[in-house]
Amino acid sequence: QVQLVESGGGLVQAGGSLRLSCAASGRPVSSTTMGWFRQAPGKEREFVAVMSWSGTRIYYADSVKGRFTISRDNAKNTVYLQMDSLKPEDTAVYYCAADRDTYYGGSSYYSLPPAYDYWGQGTQVTVSS
C-alpha cells in the first residue's frame, strides 16, 4: 500500500517562499510519476506540477511556471515542491499524488486527477497580501 504524507505548508507573506515535502512509503519515488495539485475553497482541484518516474520529464501549470520547482530525493523517498514568489492566489490545500503505472502517459494526461492512484491528505498554504 502506497502512503503519501505532505508537510511544509503554512502562512507566508506575498513574495515569500515555502517548500512542501511529500514523503512516500510502499513504493520508491524513483520509479513513480509524482504530481502536485492544489484546491482552493469552492474551486476544483487544480494541477500544479508533475515529474515523470524517470525524473527527465517535468511539466508545470502556466500559473506557477518560473516560480515553483518540483524535485525529488530518492534516498529519502521524498518529492518536493519549492514555491517562490508566492501570491495570494496560490492559497490552497496542496496535495501530492502518485501514479502506480510504470510508463509516462504525457503531460496532458497527468494534468488531470484521474491519472493518479494515490493521494496524500494535503497541507494548507496561505499567502497573505
Side-chain angles (χ1 to χ4, degrees):
Q1 182 68 20
V2 175
Q3 290 189 322
L4 306 173
V5 180
E6 301 97 333
S7 62
L11 174 64
V12 64
Q13 289 188 333
S17 298
L18 283 174
R19 188 178 78 158
L20 305 184
S21 300
C22 174
S25 60
R27 185 185 177 101
V29 297
S30 58
S31 60
T32 306
T33 293
M34 301 287 295
W36 285 95
F37 283 74
R38 65 187 182 186
Q39 189 166 17
K43 294 189 177 181
E44 294 186 351
R45 194 162 295 193
E46 174 190 28
F47 168 76
V48 175
V50 62
M51 173 181 281
S52 65
W53 64 268
S54 65
T56 60
R57 299 183 182 186
I58 293 175
Y59 175 62
Y60 297 97
D62 287 343
S63 59
V64 308
K65 200 173 297 182
R67 301 187 298 121
F68 291 11
T69 304
I70 187 171
S71 63
R72 72 186 186 194
D73 184 330
N74 293 340
K76 295 183 178 180
N77 214 38
T78 298
V79 175
Y80 301 98
L81 185 68
Q82 177 67 41
M83 306 186 296
D84 299 318
S85 301
L86 283 161
K87 304 175 181 180
E89 52 263 44
D90 294 319
T91 296
V93 177
Y94 283 71
Y95 299 89
C96 71
D99 176 17
R100 65 185 176 192
D101 292 324
T102 55
Y103 63 88
Y104 184 66
S107 57
S108 295
Y109 175 73
Y110 285 112
S111 68
L112 300 174
Y116 301 86
D117 302 290
Y118 307 103
W119 292 83
Q121 83 289 349
T123 186
Q124 176 71 47
V125 171
T126 303
V127 184
S128 63
S129 57

